[in-house]
């Protein structure tokens, strides 16, 4: 069955996950969902990145209800029969940009903020649908400090300047933030990633990939947000190219295996994550999760897995700007024996 979940005041929650939040949609395992994911950076260029529905969303949700995180989350989606201990299998089938522009902010939480004199700068990119690339069209220094999520700025009132002339960036739409409700009381910020998923900021969470999320509460209570059209590993300035997406996905419940952290399957790789305020700790966690993948799900011995990780797995910094930093570990599907 196909469901359509539009982003409205009644179907979004801004800046948080909450296990007590009622469902915006109820589905059965195996159902398809077309969901609108809205960027909290649409106000960086409202004439290019907002329509009437998004303007209404920004007007209707008070600034003091956008906390403790920053991302606009559509959901939660209750999946019938999902219980703690199950895995929620989310197949991302398509991600289509809602507009032809996106915004990158060099933010106060960016990795080199101090090196740039504590200046914040917005760069607006345009999408070329024919080449599947993006190109910067203008940039401006952000007036003041970028603190309130969803702030609306009119670039015509800023000193806009050309940016990156001739440079082309590959477009790879994905969700920066998506996950199940954590088993915790009260609001949980969308900013740090965790075992529930959340703000992983891994650009492989796009069309063609499947992500397995460990269910924390009954129904899973799955939400999506923080849509991007491109990002590099590290997300160094603090943001990607932030742009709203229309997402088609299929959600199912899996009980034939369990994994304690979000697990990504792409057409070519398996991928696990480690999260911590200390990148060294995140690296160790990612290593142990890859070890778990190879031994528990792929049937290798620990000794064989350790060797395989050293010669075939790649460990990469996912992001360094979300408080709880991330490492992802990738291993090609081609290294595994063919199925008999």
């Amino acid at each position: 069955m196909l469901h359509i979940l539009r982003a409205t005041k009644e179907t979004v929650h801004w800046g948080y996950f909450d296990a007590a939040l009622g469902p915006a949609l109820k589905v059965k395992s195996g159902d398809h969902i077309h969901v609108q994911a809205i960027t909290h950076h649409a106000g960086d260029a409202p004439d290019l990145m907002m329509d009437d529905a998004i303007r209404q969303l920004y007007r209707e949700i008070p600034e003091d209800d956008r906390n403790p995180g920053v991302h606009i989350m559509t959901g939660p989606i209750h999946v019938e029969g999902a219980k703690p201990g199950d895995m929620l299998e989310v197949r991302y089938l398509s991600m289509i940009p809602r507009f032809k522009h996106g915004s990158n902010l060099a933010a106060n939480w960016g990795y080199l903020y101090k090196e740039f004199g504590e200046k914040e700068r917005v760069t607006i990119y345009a999408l070329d649908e024919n080449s599947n690339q993006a190109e910067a069209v203008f940039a401006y220094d952000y007036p003041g400090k970028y603190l309130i999520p969803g702030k609306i700025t009119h670039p015509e009132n800023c000193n806009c300047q050309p940016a990156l002339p001739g440079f082309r960036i590959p477009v790879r739409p994905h969700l920066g933030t998506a996950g199940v409700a954590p088993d915790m009381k009260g609001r949980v910020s969308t900013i740090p990633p965790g075992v529930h998923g959340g703000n992983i900021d891994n650009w492989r969470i796009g069309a063609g990939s499947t992500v397995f999320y460990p269910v924390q509460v009954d129904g899973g209570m799955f939400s999506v947000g923080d849509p991007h059209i491109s990002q590099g590993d590290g997300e160094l300035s603090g943001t990607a190219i932030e742009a709203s997406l229309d997402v088609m996905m299929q959600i199912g419940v899996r009980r034939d295996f369990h994994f304690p952290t979000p697990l990504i399957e792409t057409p070519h790789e398996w991928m696990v994550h480690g999260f911590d305020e200390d990148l060294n700790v995140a690296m160790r966690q990612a290593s142990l999760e890859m070890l778990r993948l190879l031994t528990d799900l792929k049937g290798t011995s620990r000794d064989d897995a350790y060797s395989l990780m050293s010669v075939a797995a790649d460990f990469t910094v996912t992001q360094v700007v979300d408080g709880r930093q991330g490492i992802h570990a990738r291993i090609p599907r081609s290294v595994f024996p063919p199925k008999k």
Side-chain angles (χ1 to χ4, degrees):
M1 183 175 180
L2 173 62
H3 305 266
I4 297 176
L5 183 57
R6 293 182 173 87
T8 68
K9 180 183 178 183
E10 291 72 31
T11 63
V12 306
H13 42 109
W14 197 322
Y16 62 94
F17 294 90
D18 190 340
L21 194 63
L25 179 68
K26 291 185 176 182
V27 304
K28 294 183 178 180
S29 179
D31 284 357
H32 290 74
I33 306 163
H34 181 275
V35 58
Q36 294 178 335
I38 308 300
T39 177
H40 56 296
H41 282 275
D44 295 345
D47 291 344
L48 300 175
M49 297 174 60
M50 300 181 88
D51 53 22
D52 289 343
I54 295 178
R55 290 179 188 275
Q56 182 176 355
L57 191 67
Y58 273 53
R59 285 196 304 267
E60 291 184 341
I61 299 178
E63 289 185 359
D64 60 5
D65 198 27
R66 306 172 186 180
N67 63 82
V70 297
H71 310 100
I72 303 172
M73 305 301 296
T74 309
I77 299 167
H78 179 282
V79 184
E80 184 177 309
K83 299 286 185 182
D86 297 339
M87 300 297 292
L88 205 62
E89 177 184 59
V90 182
R91 296 180 179 271
Y92 294 108
L93 304 176
S94 68
M95 297 195 183
I96 307 300
R98 183 163 173 158
F99 305 104
K100 294 184 178 180
H101 292 84
S103 171
N104 169 253
L105 171 68
N108 60 77
W109 58 89
Y111 197 66
L112 299 179
Y113 177 57
K114 291 183 178 180
E115 283 80 356
F116 279 83
E118 299 189 354
K119 176 183 71 175
E120 296 180 277
R121 187 171 177 83
V122 172
T123 304
I124 301 298
Y125 289 81
L127 283 68
D128 183 338
E129 296 174 340
N130 294 323
S131 67
N132 202 37
Q133 293 177 318
E135 187 172 5
V137 289
F138 64 85
Y140 62 87
D141 289 349
Y142 184 77
K145 197 167 186 179
Y146 208 108
L147 295 175
I148 300 173
K151 198 74 173 177
I152 294 177
T153 305
H154 295 282
E156 61 269 23
N157 298 329
C158 303
N159 180 24
C160 292
Q161 302 171 344
L164 292 168
F167 287 81
R168 311 281 287 184
I169 295 90
V171 170
R172 40 198 188 201
H174 61 280
L175 293 173
T177 306
V180 298
D183 185 17
M184 299 175 65
K185 289 185 178 180
R187 293 186 175 191
V188 176
S189 173
T190 58
I191 294 175
V195 297
H196 65 292
N199 193 23
I200 295 176
D201 279 331
N202 188 331
W203 62 260
R204 288 88 179 167
I205 304 178
S209 294
T210 300
V211 185
F212 302 91
Y213 301 89
V215 174
Q216 313 287 296
V217 300
D218 288 353
M221 307 305 285
F222 183 73
S223 301
V224 303
D226 191 24
H228 301 165
I229 57 170
S230 199
Q231 182 201 304
D233 287 331
E235 200 182 23
L236 205 68
S237 82
T239 68
I241 301 181
E242 315 279 332
S244 299
L245 296 174
D246 291 333
V247 179
M248 179 67 76
M249 58 190 183
Q250 183 182 28
I251 295 184
V253 178
R254 294 285 295 270
R255 298 190 176 93
D256 55 327
F257 78 99
H258 182 74
F259 206 75
T261 57
L263 174 65
I264 300 178
E265 179 184 14
T266 78
H268 305 292
E269 298 172 313
W270 284 95
M271 200 171 308
V272 298
H273 297 86
F275 309 117
D276 197 82
E277 288 75 8
D278 185 329
L279 268 180
N280 288 322
V281 177
M283 175 66 186
R284 182 170 295 278
Q285 289 183 354
S287 303
L288 293 173
E289 292 304 284
M290 180 58 73
L291 181 65
R292 188 191 310 269
L293 169 69
L294 296 177
T295 56
D296 292 2
L297 301 188
K298 297 300 180 181
T300 66
S301 70
R302 286 174 61 86
D303 288 336
D304 284 351
Y306 195 22
S307 177
L308 184 61
M309 288 162 59
S310 190
V311 302
D314 294 313
F315 291 79
T316 308
V317 176
T318 319
Q319 54 75 26
V320 291
V321 293
D322 294 334
R324 189 175 298 143
Q325 301 177 85
I327 296 285
H328 60 270
R330 303 177 291 147
I331 191 161
R333 296 165 64 113
S334 59
V335 306
F336 299 107
K339 294 182 179 179
K340 296 181 179 178

